[in-house]
Amino acid sequence: MNLLIVISGLLLIALCILHIVFGEKNYFNTKEKRSIADYVPYHQISVVMFLEGAGMIYSGFNFNLQLSVFILLLILASLTTFAVICIKENESGVIKTSIPQFILFGIVILLIVLGISQEMTF
């Protein structure tokens, strides 16, 4: 078992739950604020985070390099897309309020990289 990979998966699932709760509380708390064009993709990202977490937990017990790298690339692509769109749209305030999430995802990325390197040294 690769504990670093398992912890990254658990953290991804926790981030998924926080994403859902935060979105419902702060962005979609009234029917008037819910645009289906925003609401559905927001929660699709939550589902992707859950699946990434489940995949990392699975990989922690049955290490799979391709799966771990694929999930790492998905996380990096999602964060990069978010940051680029915020910069393009001059939404620096959104980036500032998202710093805690960037830190948590940074920890996830570090855990995945360390977990992969741990497997590669055996």
Side-chain angles (χ1 to χ4, degrees):
M1 179 174 82
N2 187 318
L3 194 57
L4 295 172
I5 297 286
V6 171
I7 292 171
S8 74
L10 293 172
L11 190 51
L12 279 165
I13 290 174
L15 284 167
C16 162
I17 294 166
L18 289 172
H19 191 256
I20 292 168
V21 171
F22 182 81
E24 288 294 329
K25 182 179 177 193
N26 295 306
Y27 295 121
F28 307 115
N29 54 0
T30 64
K31 183 83 170 160
E32 295 79 40
K33 289 185 178 181
R34 273 187 226 141
S35 159
I36 199 74
D38 296 331
Y39 194 62
V40 172
Y42 187 90
H43 287 298
Q44 286 174 325
I45 291 296
S46 299
V47 171
V48 169
M49 274 192 271
F50 177 81
L51 294 173
E52 289 169 345
M56 291 312 294
I57 292 169
Y58 172 82
S59 189
F61 287 100
N62 302 298
F63 184 71
N64 183 310
L65 179 62
Q66 292 82 3
L67 179 61
S68 297
V69 170
F70 180 70
I71 291 171
L72 177 63
L73 292 174
L74 282 175
I75 294 167
L76 291 170
S78 293
L79 290 174
T80 302
T81 301
F82 176 79
V84 167
I85 291 172
C86 285
I87 291 167
K88 179 183 169 283
E89 297 296 323
N90 293 321
E91 294 286 345
S92 59
V94 174
I95 291 178
K96 287 177 186 170
T97 60
S98 300
I99 288 175
Q101 290 91 326
F102 277 107
I103 291 169
L104 290 171
F105 277 108
I107 293 168
V108 168
I109 291 166
L110 181 64
L111 287 168
I112 293 171
V113 169
L114 291 174
I116 290 172
S117 67
Q118 184 180 52
E119 288 292 331
M120 302 307 283
T121 58
F122 287 117

